[in-house]
Amino acid sequence: MGNQLSFSYTEDRREEMAQMLGYRLDPRGKADWIMIIIITCVYSIDVIAVLFMLWNRKYPPLKCKSPVLMACMMVAGILWFVGDIQANGHAPLEHSPLANCKALGVWVRILLGVCTLSALIAMRSYGLFRVFRKNQPFRGWGLYVPYAAYCLCMLVYGIVSQVISPKLTIHYMTLVDICYYETGFKASVFAILWVTWLVVAVLSWRIRHIKSSFNEAREMLVACSAVFAVLIFTTVMHYAAPMFPLNVRLRVLTTSFDHFATNVFWWSIMAVPIMSCVVRRDAYLEEWMDKLRQDGLQRMYDVQSPNVTNNKGSSVYNRNSLFTADYSRLHTENPVPSPMDNGYQYFDPIFGAGAYPMAHTDVVLYPTAYIEEVPHHAAPRPKKKHHGDLW
C-alpha cells in the first residue's frame, strides 16, 4: 500500500492512466492526509487567535494593528487553503463538487483567496503610508478607491475566466482526476501576484523609518522575505513541473509553503501583541505607552499613563479615556502639533491605524487613542519637516 490509503478506488486506475499519458503518478494517501490535518489544526489555532483579537480589539496595542483587516486576511488565507486542496491534487475530485475547477480553482482559490489576501496586505501598507508619509486618513476615498478598483478588476477577471473556454484557463483532466491550469492563465495570475507584492515591498520600504509603535520594519522584512521566497519557488515550480499535482512531494511542499508564508506574515505582526495581551496585559500596555513617550510624546505633551489601580490592587486602563473624545471643545486657534513627525492625530475606530488631520483642536488623540487635553497657551510649535523625513 505504501503511501496509498483507501482514499478512492480510482487511485490504481489513475496510475494506469497516467502511465498511458507518459506521467508518473503518486497516489493520494497518508502524506496528503497528514498535511491537510496539520494545516487545518494551524488554521484552527489561527481562528481562535482572530476571535481573541476581535474580542480585545479595543486594547490599544491590538487596535493599532488594524484588527478587522487582519481578520479578513485570515479568512482569505483559509479560502486559499480550501482551493489548494483541489488545485494541488490532495483530494479526489471525481463525482464531487471539487470537480468544478473554475468555482474553486478560480473564484475561491485565486480571487477570494490569494488575490484578496495580497490586496488586503497592500491596502494595509498603503494605509500606513498615507498616515505617516502623506498625512492623510486611514479611510476615505483615497484609501478605498484603489482597493475598490482592484476588486473590480478581479471581478472582471473572474467573469472573463468563467465565460471563456476551460481549455484556455483551467480544466478538469478526467483520466488523472486533477484540475490543470493552462500556461497563459497561470502567467496572468502570477503577474497579478508579483505586481501586488512588489507594491507591498515598496510601501513597506517607504515607511520603514516610522518613529512610533506602528513601525513594523523588522516584521515586514521577515514576512516579505518569506512571501517572496515562496512566490519564487511556486512560480518556478509551476513552469518547470506543470504536472506537479501528480508528484506527492511537490504538491505537499507547494501547499505547505503557501500557508507557511501566510502564517509567517500574519503572526510576525500579531504574535507579540496577542501573546502580551494574554499573559501580561497591563505590563505590556505600560511598555507600549513608554515606547510612545520615547518617540517624542513625553517631550511634546505631558503624557500620563492611562493605567489606574482598581480596588483589588491590579492595574487597569480607563476605556472611556482611551476610546472617547470630547469634540465639544474644538477651536480654531493655536494649532496643535502632531505627536508624530508626520501629522498623525486621529486613530481610526474601525480599522485601527488611522488619522484625520485635526490641526485646530485642543483634544489630541494619540496613536493609542489615548486622549489628553492641551491648554491653548501650552501648545508647542510644530516641528519643521525636513525633506529627508520622507525617507
Side-chain angles (χ1 to χ4, degrees):
M1 295 288 288
N3 177 60
Q4 184 175 351
L5 295 178
S6 57
F7 235 138
S8 169
Y9 72 91
T10 62
E11 291 305 303
D12 291 336
R13 181 167 60 85
R14 289 180 69 232
E15 288 188 84
E16 295 175 0
M17 294 297 102
Q19 290 177 356
M20 291 175 56
L21 296 173
Y23 300 117
R24 180 183 178 276
L25 182 146
D26 295 324
R28 303 177 180 112
K30 291 184 293 185
D32 297 280
W33 270 117
I34 291 171
M35 184 217 68
I36 291 173
I37 292 172
I38 290 175
I39 297 180
T40 300
C41 291
V42 170
Y43 275 120
S44 298
I45 296 172
D46 293 342
V47 169
I48 294 173
V50 167
L51 294 176
F52 177 84
M53 175 188 67
L54 293 177
W55 181 261
N56 294 275
R57 63 189 180 278
K58 290 188 176 181
Y59 180 61
L62 286 178
K63 188 175 184 182
C64 77
K65 298 296 183 180
S66 307
V68 174
L69 282 181
M70 297 303 294
C72 292
M73 290 177 200
M74 187 56 68
V75 172
I78 293 173
L79 292 174
W80 183 10
F81 174 55
V82 172
D84 271 354
I85 292 176
Q86 178 224 49
N88 292 346
H90 298 294
L93 309 184
E94 190 177 26
H95 307 308
S96 76
L98 294 177
N100 189 336
C101 294
K102 287 189 176 181
L104 269 74
V106 175
W107 291 97
V108 174
R109 181 179 185 243
I110 294 177
L111 299 182
L112 295 178
V114 62
C115 285
T116 297
L117 175 64
S118 301
L120 289 171
I121 294 170
M123 178 183 179
R124 184 176 184 272
S125 298
Y126 179 58
L128 293 176
F129 174 77
R130 281 171 55 84
V131 170
F132 291 107
R133 285 293 175 254
K134 300 182 71 176
N135 304 330
Q136 295 174 354
F138 196 100
R139 63 190 312 172
W141 292 109
L143 178 65
Y144 299 146
V145 167
Y147 182 71
Y150 182 95
C151 292
L152 180 61
C153 291
M154 290 299 97
L155 179 61
V156 173
Y157 182 86
I159 293 173
V160 172
S161 301
Q162 187 70 38
V163 298
I164 64 178
S165 171
K167 294 297 183 181
L168 299 176
T169 55
I170 178 174
H171 62 274
Y172 177 59
M173 296 181 66
T174 307
L175 294 179
V176 289
D177 194 36
I178 63 170
C179 289
Y180 180 77
Y181 290 89
E182 292 298 326
T183 302
F185 184 71
K186 285 190 295 187
S188 66
V189 174
F190 282 118
I192 294 170
L193 294 179
W194 274 101
V195 169
T196 304
W197 275 98
L198 286 173
V199 169
V200 172
V202 170
L203 291 174
S204 299
W205 179 260
R206 293 291 301 274
I207 60 176
R208 70 191 185 280
H209 291 318
I210 295 174
K211 295 181 179 180
S212 76
S213 293
F214 290 96
N215 192 314
E216 297 171 351
R218 286 177 295 182
E219 293 88 338
M220 289 303 296
L221 176 62
V222 172
C224 287
S225 298
V227 169
F228 277 108
V230 171
L231 196 52
I232 291 171
F233 169 81
T234 305
T235 304
V236 172
M237 190 272 302
H238 267 270
Y239 286 95
M243 296 299 290
F244 75 92
L246 302 182
N247 185 304
V248 64
R249 291 184 179 87
L250 289 180
R251 65 176 179 254
V252 169
L253 279 176
T254 300
T255 303
S256 300
F257 283 171
D258 286 348
H259 302 284
F260 168 78
T262 301
N263 278 271
V264 165
F265 174 85
W266 201 88
W267 283 103
S268 65
I269 294 175
M270 297 306 305
V272 171
I274 286 179
M275 295 306 299
S276 299
C277 184
V278 173
V279 300
R280 47 195 300 271
R281 184 185 186 95
D282 299 323
Y284 182 67
L285 180 61
E286 283 288 349
E287 294 174 5
W288 197 72
M289 293 294 295
D290 287 341
K291 184 181 293 186
L292 293 179
R293 296 186 186 95
Q294 293 170 9
D295 292 333
L297 284 174
Q298 184 64 40
R299 292 190 298 271
M300 298 177 69
Y301 303 101
D302 185 17
V303 178
Q304 303 297 326
S305 171
N307 285 13
V308 297
T309 303
N310 62 16
N311 55 10
K312 295 183 180 180
S314 62
S315 180
V316 298
Y317 55 88
N318 187 331
R319 290 182 178 272
N320 291 330
S321 66
L322 284 168
F323 303 108
T324 60
D326 180 8
Y327 294 101
S328 63
R329 301 189 57 188
L330 302 181
H331 68 93
T332 57
E333 300 175 358
N334 299 323
V336 176
S338 166
M340 296 301 179
D341 290 337
N342 298 310
Y344 183 93
Q345 288 181 292
Y346 182 73
F347 191 88
D348 187 282
I350 299 176
F351 289 102
Y356 280 100
M358 298 170 59
H360 301 291
T361 176
D362 63 347
V363 181
V364 178
L365 284 75
Y366 296 119
T368 57
Y370 176 66
I371 298 165
E372 180 180 346
E373 295 182 0
V374 179
H376 297 185
H377 64 276
R381 296 283 184 182
K383 294 173 64 178
K384 183 177 180 180
K385 185 185 295 184
H386 301 286
H387 179 70
D389 291 343
L390 294 175
W391 292 90

